[in-house]
Amino acid sequence: MASREKKKKGKLRLNPNGDIITLENVSKSYATGAPALNGIDLRIKKGEFVFIIGDSGSGKSTMIKLLLRELVASEGKIMVMGEDLTRLRHRKVPKYRRNLGIVFQDFRLLKDRNVYENVAFAQRIIQVPTKEIKRNVPSVLSVVGLAGKYKARPRQLSGGEQQRVAIARALVNRPAILLADEPTGNLDPDTTWDIMKLLESINENGTTILMVTHNREIVDAMKKRVITMKKGVIVSDEERGGYNNED
Ligand code: ADP
Ligand code: MG
């Protein structure tokens, strides 16, 4: 990061309890059906890499959406980097979201824009000066190993490359937290490992990562914290865990 930018950003804000993410007794109900989340307590420290696993419908994506402030909790309290999301005003949501990068299973790139533009777009939205964009985009594209492909359109790229573009876009604004909802769900095993190595190195550089996945092999191999959800509750939370600890 350029030193000027670092100064501007200042010190990373944490919650009063020293965590980067805190959920206290959080529930979320949709208009119909049983609560998608039911009394979730969770504390995540700055710099952690956390897998969230669990059956389809167990509430994983709902948790991600609450953290993105796409949804508001029905009950309980969510604090992220010193912001109480249950009290956060609508007009403050875009600024809050600058703390977060998000990656989805289906990449969600702009199909009619090239790689450079897909990444630059995230900076234009927050009005980063063009001069800085021209410096930041190539730099983040080289982090994800795509410096040579900046002119390509998404359809000219493999799935793994498209996900790298999405990761570059998620990272270009230097978020403290990266949220990933099944980011390897559409990728073959080799590409999955490449993406996992990339995410691990991003985490080693200080970014807190929460990743939802169904991939047993990577969860078991990576020996990170594993949170298992079932029907809207956390049924296990293990340091250096895996699917094997599930039962
Ligand atoms: P997961 O990501 O673990 O598969 P979700 O968080 O997507 O689970 O869903 C949790 C529960 O909430 C499921 O029962 C799902 O059907 C329900 N749900 C999710 N989104 C909505 C919605 N927009 N409206 C109503 N119910 C929903
Ligand atoms: Mg989901």
Side-chain angles (χ1 to χ4, degrees):
M1 191 191 308
S3 61
R4 194 156 46 100
E5 206 177 322
K6 202 180 258 168
K7 258 182 236 149
K8 221 186 326 180
K9 240 181 154 178
K11 199 166 167 285
L12 183 73
R13 280 183 71 199
L14 297 173
N15 297 338
N17 63 7
D19 296 331
I20 194 162
I21 295 173
T22 312
L23 279 74
E24 283 174 13
N25 196 26
V26 169
S27 297
K28 174 67 193 176
S29 298
Y30 293 104
T32 55
L37 293 176
N38 198 349
I40 299 286
D41 288 303
L42 178 60
R43 299 176 60 163
I44 293 172
K45 291 190 193 64
K46 177 185 174 301
E48 280 196 275
F49 192 125
V50 183
F51 285 118
I52 302 175
I53 65 175
D55 296 340
S56 178
S58 59
K60 307 177 300 294
S61 293
T62 299
M63 174 123 74
I64 297 286
K65 286 174 187 163
L66 288 171
L67 293 171
L68 283 169
R69 191 43 165 77
E70 254 176 53
L71 297 173
V72 183
S74 312
E75 274 178 64
K77 182 170 174 172
I78 303 178
M79 296 274 299
V80 179
M81 298 178 71
E83 297 284 357
D84 181 344
L85 298 196
T86 37
R87 290 161 177 261
L88 192 70
R89 298 290 181 110
H90 248 299
R91 62 183 168 79
K92 298 226 167 146
V93 170
K95 188 164 179 222
Y96 161 71
R97 288 203 183 126
R98 291 186 206 177
N99 297 316
L100 310 170
I102 173 78
V103 178
F104 300 98
Q105 177 171 359
D106 55 358
F107 321 136
R108 302 195 190 180
L109 301 175
L110 301 168
K111 290 186 175 30
D112 57 344
R113 306 283 177 93
N114 67 26
V115 166
Y116 181 95
E117 281 302 323
N118 265 280
V119 178
F121 189 68
Q123 297 236 281
R124 296 198 209 287
I125 286 177
I126 63 167
Q127 290 162 357
V128 175
T130 305
K131 206 172 134 200
E132 284 180 43
I133 296 178
K134 283 185 177 155
R135 198 173 54 219
N136 294 340
V137 174
S139 145
V140 76
L141 284 177
S142 74
V143 168
V144 302
L146 280 181
K149 301 234 172 178
Y150 70 99
K151 279 186 175 166
R153 304 274 163 141
R155 72 180 144 74
Q156 298 171 309
L157 301 174
S158 69
E161 288 170 333
Q162 291 185 57
Q163 195 59 300
R164 286 171 187 276
V165 177
I167 292 170
R169 178 183 58 188
L171 292 178
V172 70
N173 296 339
R174 300 265 171 195
I177 302 167
L178 182 65
L179 304 174
D181 196 346
E182 307 198 35
T184 64
N186 282 348
L187 305 177
D188 63 57
D190 284 351
T191 311
T192 291
W193 278 113
D194 291 344
I195 292 292
M196 291 317 300
K197 278 180 211 141
L198 174 60
L199 292 177
E200 192 167 38
S201 77
I202 289 163
N203 174 247
E204 279 162 4
N205 282 313
T207 306
T208 305
I209 299 187
L210 254 77
M211 172 171 160
V212 172
T213 185
H214 282 117
N215 191 315
R216 285 170 182 266
E217 209 182 319
I218 55 177
V219 170
D220 288 343
M222 285 185 66
K223 305 276 187 282
K224 304 292 188 190
R225 181 174 173 192
V226 180
I227 291 168
T228 308
M229 303 196 44
K230 197 167 189 173
K231 294 183 180 165
V233 302
I234 292 174
V235 292
S236 81
D237 182 350
E238 308 257 355
E239 292 301 326
R240 299 174 61 79
Y243 268 85
N244 300 331
N245 298 344
E246 210 174 339
D247 335 276

